């Protein structure tokens, strides 16, 4: 939460400074304008990367559907090396985590779990589609 | 987009184009080579939106939408001030 506040405050401050930047006349105006556009896009990109690197996850579902069991978290915390967990699913499978018979739902749900790597750096989860039988 | 372009038709077309590109970026990501696919997924609107609405809130997703809004506000304000 602290990283989020710092990044957001830094970006807001930079954008405020950009709004007050001088507007030179003539040909330099075009350079300044494009510099500001590219600079602002770059600042937004870097800020997003910083937020992703120092991410925080809140599971707001009543069933805590996106939070692994305490026992699983204890195992993950005890890992002393990187572990990659590969989840295989079929494109038309009914058994995906979404239960929608759509591989995209499975991919999205596993993708959400995989993003926990920023929270549990030792555990990487990857979804892999297999051919239908 | 309407503040960035003088022409309304260009503004409408570019708005639609940018919106669709950001919306479907993650669908196209799986056809892209390795470093670029992560960037495409990172830019995708739906990739950040779906976890949020399903109750799995990452602060980076919230930040993505705030940064997008801030960037659009910055560019629009700067352009209006230039006029």
């Amino acid at each position: 939460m602290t990283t989020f506040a710092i990044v957001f405050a830094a970006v807001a401050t930079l954008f405020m400074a950009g709004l007050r930047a001088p507007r030179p006349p003539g040909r330099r105006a075009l350079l300044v304008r494009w510099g500001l556009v590219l600079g602002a896009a770059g600042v937004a990109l870097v800020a997003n990367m910083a937020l992703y690197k120092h991410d925080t996850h809140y599971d707001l579902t009543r069933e805590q559907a996106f939070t692994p069991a305490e026992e699983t978290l204890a195992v993950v915390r005890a890992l002393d090396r990187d572990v990659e967990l590969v989840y295989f699913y079929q494109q038309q499978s009914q058994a995906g985590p979404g239960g929608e018979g759509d591989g995209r739902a499975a991919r999205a749900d596993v993708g959400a779990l995989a993003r926990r790597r920023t929270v549990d750096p030792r555990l990487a989860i990857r979804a892999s589609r297999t051919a239908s039988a | 987009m309407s503040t960035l372009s003088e022409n309304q038709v260009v503004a409408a077309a570019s708005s639609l184009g940018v919106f669709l590109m950001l919306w479907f970026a993650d669908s196209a990501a799986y056809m892209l080579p390795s470093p670029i696919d992560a960037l495409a997924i990172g830019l995708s609107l739906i990739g950040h939106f779906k976890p949020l609405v399903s109750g799995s809130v990452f602060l980076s997703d919230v930040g993505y939408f705030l940064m997008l809004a801030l960037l659009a506000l910055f560019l629009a304000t700067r352009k209006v001030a230039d006029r």
Side-chain angles (χ1 to χ4, degrees):
Chain A
M1 196 67 181
T2 315
T3 309
F4 181 82
I6 291 171
V7 168
F8 189 72
V11 170
T13 308
L14 281 173
F15 281 2
M16 291 292 282
L19 288 178
R20 289 160 202 266
R23 295 168 175 79
R27 193 176 288 179
R28 282 188 58 208
L30 195 67
L31 279 175
V32 170
R33 191 179 303 161
W34 276 105
L36 278 172
V37 169
L38 294 177
V43 164
L45 191 68
V46 170
N48 271 298
M49 285 164 67
L51 286 178
Y52 190 80
K53 283 263 183 192
H54 304 278
D55 213 350
T56 310
H57 180 245
Y58 298 100
D59 188 351
L60 301 185
T61 57
R62 189 182 299 167
E63 308 82 10
Q64 297 291 291
F66 297 99
T67 304
E70 192 52 47
E71 293 82 1
T72 311
L73 289 175
V75 171
V76 170
R77 278 193 287 267
L79 291 176
D80 58 356
R81 68 191 70 175
D82 290 347
V83 172
E84 188 180 37
L85 183 69
V86 183
Y87 176 86
F88 291 97
Y89 67 94
Q90 290 184 345
Q91 181 73 16
Q92 302 301 325
S93 170
Q94 296 287 336
E100 298 171 22
D102 182 359
R104 283 174 66 96
R107 194 183 69 202
D109 289 352
V110 176
L113 278 175
R115 289 184 59 191
R116 285 186 59 93
R117 186 171 175 81
T118 53
V119 185
D120 310 318
R122 287 283 186 205
L123 181 66
I125 304 173
R126 186 162 59 85
S128 182
R129 191 178 70 195
T130 59
S132 301
Chain B
M1 280 297 174
S2 54
T3 55
L4 299 179
S5 170
E6 304 272 332
N7 190 314
Q8 290 183 356
V9 178
V10 172
S14 53
S15 296
L16 194 66
V18 168
F19 179 73
L20 285 176
M21 193 182 72
L22 288 178
W23 191 259
F24 291 112
D26 70 325
S27 301
Y30 297 92
M31 294 180 277
L32 298 172
S34 179
I36 306 170
D37 63 342
L39 184 70
I41 290 172
L43 284 175
S44 160
L45 277 171
I46 200 160
H48 291 279
F49 181 69
K50 276 189 89 170
L52 272 181
V53 292
S54 60
S56 176
V57 177
F58 288 89
L59 280 186
S60 59
D61 290 338
V62 179
Y64 169 81
F65 287 108
L66 282 175
M67 294 302 159
L68 211 58
L70 266 180
L71 182 64
L73 275 173
F74 170 76
L75 294 177
T77 310
R78 180 78 197 187
K79 185 71 181 179
V80 169
D82 280 348
R83 288 178 193 169

